[in-house]
Amino acid sequence: MSEMRYEAPKTVEAAVALLAGASGTLRVLAGGTDLLVQMKSGRVDPTLVVDVKGIPEMTTIAVENGGFRFGAAVPAMTLHEHAAFSKAWPGLTEAAMLIGSYQIKGRASVGGNLCNASPAADSVPALIAAGATATIAGPNGRREVKVEDIATGPGKTSLGKGEIVVSFFLPARPAHSGDAYLRFIPRTEMDIAVVGAGINLTLDASGKCTAARVCIGAVAERALLVPDAAKALVGTTVDAAAIEKMGAACSAAAKPIDDKRGTKVYRTKVCGVMAKRAAAIALNRAKGAN
Amino acid sequence: MSAVVSEKKLKVVGTSPDRPEGVPKVTGQAQYGADWTLPGMLWGKILRSPHAHARIRKIDTSKALKLPGVKAVVTGADFPEQKFEYVGAARVALNFWHITRNVMAKEKALFEGHPVAAVAAASPLIAAEALKLIEVDYEVLPHVIDVEEAMKDNAPLLFEDMIPRGYTPEATKPSNISKRVDFKIGDVDAAFAQADEVIEAHFKTAPVHQGYLETHACLVRTDADGQAECWSSSQGHFAVRNLTAKITGTKVADLRCHAAEIGGGFGGKTVVYVEPVALMLSKKSGHPVKIQMNREEVFKATGPTSGASMTIKIGVMRDGKIVAAEGIFKYQAGAFPGSPVMNGCMCSFAPYDIANVRTTGYDVVCNRPKTVAYRAPGSPISAFAAESALDMAAKKIGMDPIDFRLKNIAKPGTPTVFGTKLAFNGFAETLQALKAHPAYANPPKGKNQGRGVAAGYWFNGGGESSATVSVNEDGTAVVCTGSPDIGGSRATTAQMAAETLGIEYERVRPIIADTNSVGFTQTTGGSRVTFATGMTVINACNKVIEEMCKRAAKIWKIEPENVVWEDGSARPAGKRAGEFPPLSFREIASKRTATGGPITAAASINAEGQAPGFTAQFADVEVDPETGLVKILRYVAAQDVGRAIHPKYCEGQIHGGVVQGIGWALNEEYIYDKNGRMENAGFLDYRMPVASDLPMIEAVIVEVPNPNHPYGVKGVAEANIVPPMAAIANAVQNATGKRINELPLSPPRVLAALDS
């Protein structure tokens, strides 16, 4: 029964100062849908909890350079309800909306989902596929980092002492772009991904794929960007053969484990299946069928 | 034996009124197990073994006792020793030497989560801290989880001196096999030799938890003279009283138990876990003590029902007649003997007329939590094997699965493998009702789609129940029973009371009285309450009517034999017919003081004549060939309910049993690591179905009244969970051509079968 200090700073700088200046077990609290569960079950017993929900730049969605910047503590439901955001990034929005029940989605944030660093986090493959960058603030100021460089393994991130993820930036969307995220769960909701796959692609006017990013989840120690899968699509019309090749590249890149949620063999195969199905959805979206 | 009341005369029975306790439940005012508090109350917490199997060398509680706020600590040494003997009927025999050790370990911890000590402290946080200060010196032993492994000669033994029972000649070597049971009729081997086709297959099921939402919780207070009082969530507060009294050495009359509202039981709340611990802590500390389990504790240390390994052999003639059947059933008992394997042996072929049957069961201990009753305990497990094999047989000879079953149904007079003859109709009517469902003629035709049929049998129960009925001056009646209400029994007993008395349902207030306020009543289980408790309520109401007629006679100054009760009023009859206007229930009630005082009646019964539950069901499924996901497209379940007292609750029971069966079929299982520790002790990874996983379950209520109950009641709550596992496995086979004989049919298992 150690004592816990709770702080709710109003600025990023104040939050960073608190985290940088304290010792012991430090935790950042956004929606709390992971942290509070971990605290109640005794898995973590923090000495300092810094609540970031009172920091405006961490809880707002804004248009920036034709793209979107959204705070790391913005709840999934707020992304979903933001008409322009969810229209531009339906795949990422759907991925965030797969996190838990409605009550959970009203609190859970993409920043929290990323920094909790579960390999099965639903919003992360979609965010990486989208090519998002994160703004990180720390004692030495701010830096921009690719999202795929943040989580390093289960429960581990590349964040340094006193650093927090402030916001995410999604670049302006070229015409004929679409994204999608699908996960496999044995039920229909209220579950954790056995595998997940996020895809973001852009077509030219003739329907040829000019850019693609493919990221698979729950098949390695962190979400995996699969360049070979993207290569299988770029330059094609995303026809059945290309999609098949892309799925095979995902299965080839996967390095899952056997655990209570699925077997190695199963995950290897089904991550390819999910990627193929997600690609079909992303393609439709890129062709304008939102 | 009374004649069944004609349907035409019924006013309240057969309607579906709102539940009498509904408003407090939906407004959050109802008191469940964890909702009780008392001044000076302490919080109890239980220290549990982290090991699947370990000898307890020493427990040092001194540091915990020194922590400020800690008021008492108990270990196994605090509980009185119990005699080693099996008491009661073989099917439900109890051994208190085992029961007390399940509540609190003594020599050994036999499963991960086994209680080894408990504390009572001023706050939950202090209690949790105190648990960390208890030092247990364990000698970790090799463990065994799987039933086949546990039966092997070189398996680690849970009880070094356990000699298997039920062998001839008697077994002499210790084993994890607690007991062997066998049943036989006819000449099985000769019949197999003559059969046109013989089907043989091996099956496995995973243990599954009852999955009630409300975790176990209780509050216990004790008086200085040894009296005690307990509020807890259970299916039977009389069982809580009797078990807790025995385990703690309390006189039965000195322990008053109250039935809290219950958030689900399904058989899992028929035993005690926390009540005896809270009582001992309360005795030691002198304070009331509350204990509430969390979900992890529920998964690791309560329930489940058995996982099993089974072999079925069926001999069939080309015309569809089954001539021989054999089943070998190996059921996990968990850490102490007492799996429902005997039920499995008895129920597996019970609804069929098969002249030559042999069933053999093995009750096998292993390092898992002790199994507890779960909805038709034992029958769904053996039915998965038997009904899958029947499907294989029907396919082999090219018969429709319903016609195949109809050709072989047991009728009144058909002998069963367990000796008695079937005495009731209902199975044929149920199969015919399923066949008559409009969807049966239209099986799914899409790609990767298929249909499976299965049937189920359950004994249903009778037994001891008590009730008192008190009439109030405003013409209302209070009906007290001793049956905790887990499935709408307050509504149905109020309906039967209102029907019998001839008054409106709203004028009957049904309550569940505590153990010192109503006569002994067995646990709510075995689908017995609407039948047995209903019958004793009806009997008490008839006594009230008799008394009401006497009061009317007194008012009219006529002979009591010339008064009859019709439509809720006393009327002069015989030679007095028409002499006075009728006196209503309310009028007589208002004159009670002048006519002889309070009008109350008590009745008790040991009800017999219960009829078994029959059900037949079909599932339509679609299997995703790339992921192995099984989607249930349609589910139709027909069940003989005798007569539906409350049709909506009958439907609800059918829905509930089928949903639990779907979970059992598709995803539910216990996952252990190599150290015997459960990895999925929570609802996230112990995958019960969620609402969006399910289709609309179409319940077909079949009514073949039970002649032994005034309103024709047959138990409804359990038979419905028996067929879904086989129905779904049969449907998956039909959809994919692959038969999977091991549960659950989880996506990895199905995909592996498809890819094989």
Side-chain angles (χ1 to χ4, degrees):
Chain A
M1 278 177 298
S2 55
E3 290 209 353
M4 189 195 85
R5 185 174 155 213
Y6 169 87
E7 297 285 352
K10 296 293 172 207
T11 65
V12 167
E13 288 64 35
V16 167
L18 282 163
L19 290 164
S23 58
T25 307
L26 318 178
R27 285 291 183 278
V28 176
L29 172 70
T33 56
D34 284 312
L35 181 60
L36 295 189
V37 176
Q38 290 164 5
M39 286 168 65
K40 282 187 179 174
S41 71
R43 269 179 290 162
V44 58
D45 189 9
T47 45
L48 171 66
V49 168
V50 177
D51 186 343
V52 295
K53 284 192 297 294
I55 302 174
E57 66 174 305
M58 291 190 70
T59 52
T60 49
I61 308 173
V63 175
E64 186 179 307
N65 297 331
F68 285 99
R69 181 171 291 281
F70 66 97
V74 171
M77 201 59 90
T78 306
L79 289 177
H80 171 68
E81 287 175 352
H82 192 289
F85 183 89
S86 55
K87 190 168 185 291
W89 295 100
L92 174 56
T93 307
E94 283 167 6
M97 286 296 286
L98 288 172
I99 303 168
S101 64
Y102 275 93
Q103 291 91 332
I104 295 293
K105 287 183 266 236
R107 304 291 281 181
S109 65
V110 171
N113 201 217
L114 174 66
C115 294
N116 185 55
S118 160
D122 284 308
S123 68
V124 176
L127 200 58
I128 292 173
T133 56
T135 299
I136 293 171
N140 303 319
R142 297 192 175 211
R143 60 191 177 105
E144 287 290 310
V145 178
K146 287 179 189 159
V147 170
E148 54 266 39
D149 292 335
I150 293 178
T152 55
K156 293 195 176 79
T157 68
S158 59
L159 297 178
K161 163 94 172 154
E163 284 193 322
I164 54 175
V165 176
V166 177
S167 61
F168 299 102
F169 178 69
L170 291 161
R173 211 85 171 97
H176 313 301
S177 294
D179 75 331
Y181 173 79
L182 286 179
R183 67 172 182 185
F184 182 81
I185 55 171
R187 294 181 287 191
T188 44
E189 58 182 327
M190 305 297 290
D191 217 326
I192 302 273
V194 175
V195 293
I199 303 226
N200 178 33
L201 51 83
T202 299
L203 309 176
D204 65 15
S206 71
K208 195 184 279 181
C209 180
T210 55
R213 284 170 71 87
V214 180
C215 183
I216 49 179
V219 288
E221 71 284 356
R222 59 192 174 114
L224 286 185
L225 189 64
V226 188
D228 285 347
K231 269 185 218 152
L233 300 179
V234 174
T236 74
T237 56
V238 194
D239 52 277
I243 287 181
E244 198 58 42
K245 203 172 159 197
M246 184 276 308
C250 288
S251 291
K255 33 183 182 171
I257 53 165
D258 283 327
D259 72 2
K260 61 190 173 186
R261 294 187 183 131
T263 62
K264 228 181 213 174
V265 174
Y266 185 80
R267 285 182 157 130
T268 302
K269 175 166 179 182
V270 177
C271 79
V273 173
M274 288 299 114
K276 288 190 284 178
R277 292 179 184 181
I281 297 169
L283 178 66
N284 264 335
R285 286 176 174 160
K287 287 178 174 171
N290 255 337
Chain B
M1 207 178 278
S2 47
V4 180
V5 177
S6 155
E7 196 172 355
K8 285 178 211 141
K9 291 190 179 163
L10 298 172
K11 289 181 177 157
V12 188
V13 164
T15 65
S16 295
D18 289 345
R19 56 176 76 229
E21 77 286 7
V23 171
K25 280 182 174 168
V26 299
T27 53
Q29 292 166 309
Q31 297 272 106
Y32 290 82
D35 291 331
W36 305 87
T37 54
L38 279 172
M41 185 185 87
L42 303 176
W43 296 84
K45 279 200 189 288
I46 295 171
L47 181 69
R48 297 176 181 279
S49 168
H51 306 296
H53 193 192
R55 203 175 305 285
I56 300 170
R57 288 200 197 104
K58 193 178 164 227
I59 303 178
D60 183 351
T61 62
S62 56
K63 284 181 191 150
L65 275 165
K66 282 182 199 140
L67 184 71
V70 172
K71 305 291 182 188
V73 179
V74 296
T75 67
D78 291 290
F79 290 79
E81 194 48 270
Q82 302 286 343
K83 199 172 160 190
F84 189 98
E85 61 174 350
Y86 292 92
V87 292
R91 219 154 57 78
V92 288
L94 302 179
N95 184 329
F96 277 91
W97 191 91
H98 292 142
I99 292 172
T100 193
R101 280 165 177 76
N102 194 38
V103 167
M104 193 61 72
K106 285 179 185 269
E107 303 81 7
K108 274 170 121 185
L110 294 169
F111 57 94
E112 186 213 7
H114 198 161
V116 294
V119 302
S123 77
L125 282 176
I126 297 171
E129 195 62 22
L131 291 187
K132 294 182 199 160
L133 298 173
I134 297 174
E135 291 166 2
V136 186
D137 180 10
Y138 292 105
E139 177 194 347
V140 179
L141 302 170
H143 68 278
V144 62
I145 295 288
D146 179 74
V147 64
E148 298 278 6
E149 292 294 319
M151 290 174 78
K152 286 183 179 162
D153 277 345
N154 58 352
L157 292 176
L158 277 73
F159 305 97
E160 288 85 354
D161 57 354
M162 190 166 81
I163 308 291
R165 295 165 287 157
Y167 282 83
T168 318
E170 277 186 28
T172 53
K173 215 174 140 248
S175 161
N176 288 321
I177 301 168
S178 152
K179 193 182 177 184
R180 177 183 181 275
V181 290
D182 56 347
F183 299 91
K184 192 178 161 231
I185 46 167
D187 187 341
V188 179
D189 296 327
F192 273 122
Q194 285 160 17
D196 290 336
E197 300 285 354
V198 175
I199 306 292
E200 187 170 356
H202 184 68
F203 300 88
K204 280 194 99 162
T205 69
V208 289
H209 198 271
Q210 294 81 351
Y212 33 83
L213 288 181
E214 183 200 21
T215 64
H216 298 264
C218 73
L219 170 63
V220 178
R221 59 172 290 277
T222 47
D223 289 329
D225 62 359
Q227 292 188 75
E229 201 168 0
C230 171
W231 293 260
S232 74
S233 167
S234 85
Q235 291 174 236
H237 49 317
F238 283 90
V240 168
R241 178 191 68 172
N242 293 2
L243 292 167
T244 304
K246 176 95 171 153
I247 293 166
T248 59
T250 308
K251 275 189 275 180
V252 170
D254 284 354
L255 177 55
R256 183 178 182 184
C257 289
H258 303 263
E261 288 292 351
I262 178 168
F266 312 108
K269 288 181 184 163
T270 56
V271 297
V272 291
Y273 300 103
V274 290
E275 293 89 343
V277 179
L279 196 151
M280 294 306 271
L281 287 168
S282 177
K283 240 186 197 175
K284 264 196 159 177
S285 65
H287 289 266
V289 174
K290 175 172 176 162
I291 299 181
Q292 184 183 353
M293 284 194 196
N294 62 30
R295 182 64 54 193
E296 188 179 338
E297 290 178 291
V298 170
F299 271 113
K300 289 186 174 175
T302 76
T305 192
S306 309
S309 180
M310 304 173 280
T311 302
I312 298 283
K313 197 171 158 188
I314 289 176
V316 62
M317 305 308 287
R318 244 163 244 123
D319 67 354
K321 186 67 200 150
I322 305 168
V323 291
E326 175 164 27
I328 298 165
F329 305 105
K330 301 166 183 173
Y331 279 28
Q332 296 160 359
F336 296 96
S339 73
V341 71
M342 201 164 157
N343 293 348
C345 289
M346 293 164 81
C347 292
S348 47
F349 300 111
Y352 303 106
D353 180 4
I354 310 173
N356 308 288
V357 183
R358 180 166 55 214
T359 58
T360 310
Y362 297 89
D363 182 48
V364 184
V365 295
C366 50
N367 297 108
R368 295 169 171 269
K370 162 77 179 76
T371 57
V372 193
Y374 180 18
R375 214 165 188 158
S379 184
I381 301 165
S382 63
F384 166 63
E387 293 286 321
S388 294
L390 286 176
D391 196 67
M392 293 159 79
K395 282 205 165 69
K396 188 109 190 176
I397 55 167
M399 251 180 114
D400 169 86
I402 294 182
D403 291 340
F404 179 60
R405 286 170 173 82
L406 274 169
K407 186 168 176 77
N408 291 287
I409 56 163
K411 299 185 190 74
T414 302
T416 62
V417 74
F418 46 95
T420 53
K421 286 179 175 163
L422 182 67
F424 296 89
N425 282 311
F427 191 37
E429 293 85 343
T430 304
L431 282 165
Q432 281 151 358
L434 186 71
K435 202 177 176 191
H437 188 278
Y440 194 72
N442 298 302
K445 293 189 179 71
K447 220 175 156 191
N448 306 309
Q449 295 180 348
R451 168 172 294 173
V453 173
Y457 172 90
W458 178 242
F459 305 108
N460 288 336
E464 296 167 280
S465 284
S466 300
T468 60
V469 177
S470 310
V471 178
N472 302 309
E473 54 273 29
D474 63 351
T476 59
V478 175
V479 175
C480 299
T481 72
S483 294
D485 179 357
I486 62 174
S489 59
R490 268 168 292 190
T492 54
T493 48
Q495 284 180 278
M496 288 185 272
E499 188 74 59
T500 308
L501 295 170
I503 63 176
E504 296 87 357
Y505 171 76
E506 292 74 17
R507 283 208 274 152
V508 179
R509 173 55 58 189
I511 70 148
I512 302 146
D514 67 71
T515 51
N516 289 18
S517 307
V518 69
F520 179 78
T521 301
Q522 284 175 358
T523 293
T524 298
S527 301
R528 62 173 291 278
V529 168
T530 313
F531 175 75
T533 302
M535 202 127 74
T536 196
V537 166
I538 294 164
N539 291 346
C541 288
N542 283 327
K543 287 187 188 176
V544 164
I545 288 170
E546 204 178 306
E547 183 62 24
M548 292 285 231
C549 288
K550 280 186 196 157
R551 303 295 173 100
K554 211 167 188 177
I555 292 164
W556 290 328
K557 300 188 176 63
I558 66 171
E559 315 70 32
E561 61 269 25
N562 286 324
V563 181
V564 294
W565 190 262
E566 275 175 24
D567 287 339
S569 294
R571 290 167 200 272
K575 62 181 182 183
R576 300 292 193 174
E579 279 187 30
F580 307 95
L583 274 170
S584 71
F585 185 89
R586 188 191 300 246
E587 286 168 310
I588 300 168
S590 71
K591 293 185 168 65
R592 69 154 195 234
T593 309
T595 58
I599 302 171
T600 68
S604 288
I605 198 171
N606 189 359
E608 294 180 349
Q610 70 270 19
F614 294 110
T615 177
Q617 308 178 354
F618 72 77
D620 291 348
V621 305
E622 181 171 323
V623 181
D624 185 330
E626 290 185 312
T627 65
L629 184 79
V630 176
K631 186 178 179 194
I632 314 280
L633 303 173
R634 166 170 231 150
Y635 204 102
V636 181
Q639 188 177 339
D640 174 20
V641 304
R643 182 176 282 144
I645 301 297
H646 190 296
K648 277 193 181 159
Y649 290 173
C650 289
E651 256 184 70
Q653 289 291 346
I654 294 170
H655 289 166
V658 168
V659 169
Q660 290 186 312
I662 288 173
W664 198 334
L666 295 183
N667 282 306
E668 292 180 38
E669 62 181 324
Y670 279 56
I671 301 168
Y672 286 93
D673 71 9
K674 62 180 182 359
N675 297 314
R677 294 183 178 123
M678 188 182 177
E679 292 192 303
N680 60 332
F683 280 140
L684 184 59
D685 290 307
Y686 181 87
R687 289 162 163 148
M688 292 176 68
V690 297
S692 53
D693 294 343
L694 302 163
M696 181 62 203
I697 293 156
E698 297 166 74
V700 179
I701 293 175
V702 180
E703 295 188 292
V704 182
N706 177 2
N708 302 329
H709 186 281
Y711 297 120
V713 168
K714 291 177 179 170
V716 182
E718 291 169 289
N720 35 58
I721 198 176
V722 177
M725 289 68 80
I728 291 167
N730 293 343
V732 168
Q733 193 282 329
N734 186 239
T736 66
K738 300 276 183 180
R739 181 165 289 282
I740 304 169
N741 288 344
E742 183 170 356
L743 297 181
L745 303 178
S746 57
R749 178 166 289 137
V750 173
L751 192 64
L754 295 179
D755 289 348
S756 70

